[in-house]
Amino acid sequence: MDEGVTDDSSSFRSVKEVFESCLPFYLSIGMSAAQFWEGEPSLAVAYRKADEIKRENMNFTAWLSGFYVYRALLCASPVFHDFIKGDVEPIPYGEPIALTEDEKQTKEEKAKELEEKKAQDDIRAFLEGLIQKQKQREEKPDGRND
Amino acid sequence: MIRFKYDNVDYSLGFNRKTALATEKLGFNVSKAEELPLNSLLSLFRGSFLLNHPMIDEEKVYEIFGKIGNRSELEQALLSEYIESLSSLMIGENEGNVEWTKE
C-alpha cells in the first residue's frame, strides 16, 4: 500500500501528481477530501499515526479473539475424550484477561481480598473450635476431657 | 505562517495543498526551487496570498513584493511553508525504522 510518499525524485513531475497519487491513501484512512486539500498540512501526519494505532488495535483484537477460542477449546477438551471413564466435567472457562492497568489492579486486589478472607475464615474456624472445646470442658464439672 | 502589516492591513501568508497546487499553476516549480528565479519567486509570493487573502489584487501583491524587506529570508520562509504541504505526506523522521550513524 502506498503509505504516504517515500522520496523518489526521479519520478517527480509535478506537485499535482504527488498530491493526486497520495489522495486515495489518505481518503482510505479517514481523511476527508476537504481536510486533505484545505486543512493544515500537518494533519496528514496525525492521520498516519492514527491509522497505525488502529491497525495495532485491530491486530490485538484479532489475537484476543483467537486466544479466547483457544482457551474455550482447552476448557472443553476433557469432555471430548471418548476413552475417559466416569463423569468428566469441562474446566471452568474463567474470567476475562485483564487488559488495562486498572483491570489488573482490580484482579490483584480481588485475589488479595480472597486470600485475606480465607485467612480470616481459618482463624474464625480455629477460634470457634477452641470455644467449643472450652464449653465442653465447662459442661463436664469433673474435669474429664473426652 | 508568515505575518506582516501593510497599509494598516494584517496579512498571513501560507499554503495548504489546494493553494500549493494553485501556486504551481501560477508558474512556480518546486523542483527548481534552488535556483528560484525572480518570476518563480513572484509566483510563490502570489500563491502564498491565496490561503487567507484570495481576493487581493495582483497589483497589490506586486506592490507589497516591491516593498517587502529581508527578501532572501522571505524566500526561504515561503519555500519552507510550500514544501510543508508536500513533506507532510512523506513518512517522517520518527516514522522510519532504519537506523543510521555518522562517521
Side-chain angles (χ1 to χ4, degrees):
Chain A
M1 187 184 290
D2 183 24
E3 296 181 359
V5 176
T6 52
D7 186 17
D8 182 6
S9 48
S10 61
S11 66
F12 178 83
R13 290 214 178 93
S14 70
V15 161
K16 182 172 186 278
E17 282 191 22
V18 171
F19 289 163
E20 286 177 352
S21 70
C22 290
L23 177 59
F25 169 71
Y26 285 95
L27 289 176
S28 78
I29 63 172
M31 204 175 190
S32 70
Q35 284 173 321
F36 182 86
W37 288 112
E38 295 166 20
E40 275 288 322
S42 56
L43 198 54
V45 179
Y47 267 92
R48 278 203 304 277
K49 285 203 192 309
D51 183 56
E52 200 181 308
I53 291 169
K54 263 188 224 174
R55 286 177 197 231
E56 284 171 5
N57 286 344
M58 276 170 58
N59 192 33
F60 181 74
T61 303
W63 178 87
L64 196 60
S65 185
F67 174 80
Y68 281 133
V69 168
Y70 177 74
R71 191 160 89 168
L73 285 172
L74 281 181
C75 291
S77 62
V79 187
F80 298 138
H81 283 281
D82 293 335
F83 302 108
I84 292 179
K85 294 179 185 173
D87 288 336
V88 178
E89 294 289 327
I91 302 163
Y93 186 60
E95 298 287 317
I97 61 169
L99 295 179
T100 63
E101 285 306 313
D102 283 347
E103 283 175 3
K104 279 183 198 163
Q105 202 175 5
T106 308
K107 221 176 177 180
E108 281 168 6
E109 281 169 7
K110 272 188 183 169
K112 203 175 170 187
E113 265 176 37
L114 272 170
E115 247 183 75
E116 283 175 5
K117 188 174 177 301
K118 189 175 176 307
Q120 282 173 5
D121 287 345
D122 290 343
I123 292 170
R124 192 174 297 118
F126 175 71
L127 287 173
E128 278 171 3
L130 276 180
I131 292 167
Q132 198 65 29
K133 280 190 180 171
Q134 184 63 24
K135 272 187 182 168
Q136 285 170 358
R137 272 194 221 113
E138 284 167 3
E139 278 165 12
K140 294 176 182 169
D142 58 357
R144 282 191 305 166
N145 289 331
D146 293 333
Chain B
M1 198 67 66
I2 294 149
R3 298 181 206 275
F4 61 90
K5 201 165 189 167
Y6 183 80
D7 266 355
N8 286 324
V9 177
D10 289 321
Y11 290 93
S12 305
L13 308 184
F15 296 93
N16 59 21
R17 288 188 195 96
K18 186 175 174 181
T19 63
L21 196 56
T23 304
E24 190 179 59
K25 287 178 183 169
L26 288 173
F28 176 69
N29 187 343
V30 70
S31 59
K32 294 179 181 169
E34 286 173 2
E35 301 159 16
L36 215 59
L38 185 64
N39 57 344
S40 196
L41 174 58
L42 265 173
S43 302
L44 182 65
F45 190 68
R46 268 178 68 202
S48 68
F49 281 82
L50 294 173
L51 183 65
N52 294 314
H53 311 280
M55 306 309 290
I56 192 171
D57 281 341
E58 205 174 306
E59 284 174 16
K60 192 72 174 181
V61 173
Y62 291 145
E63 183 187 317
I64 295 171
F65 184 74
K67 293 183 180 175
I68 204 153
N70 285 329
R71 201 173 283 169
S72 58
E73 283 184 29
L74 176 69
E75 282 174 27
Q76 292 310 308
L78 284 175
L79 200 53
S80 172
E81 291 280 324
Y82 187 91
I83 287 171
E84 167 72 10
S85 68
L86 274 168
S87 64
S88 55
L89 296 176
M90 294 180 189
I91 295 177
E93 287 183 4
N94 298 323
E95 293 174 66
N97 57 10
V98 177
E99 293 184 10
W100 57 273
T101 54
K102 187 179 172 185
E103 292 177 9

